[in-house]
Amino acid sequence: MNIRQKIKDFAERRKAIRELSMLDDHTLADIGLSRSQIRSAVHGR
């Protein structure tokens, strides 16, 4: 994987974290996440 792809992937993960963080707790629960799990879910852990 080249540096350009790594930067693109990093930016996409940051965007996903930001968007999920903007959801309210009820909506997060509906998709099976708690606020503390957002970062792990985005990173696939």
Side-chain angles (χ1 to χ4, degrees), residues 17 20-21 23-25 28-29 32-43 45:
I17 291 169
L20 286 169
S21 295
L23 298 176
D24 61 47
D25 291 336
L28 286 172
L33 288 175
S34 66
R35 194 155 301 280
S36 64
Q37 295 172 312
I38 292 172
R39 194 172 294 273
S40 294
V42 169
H43 290 283
R45 298 181 194 146

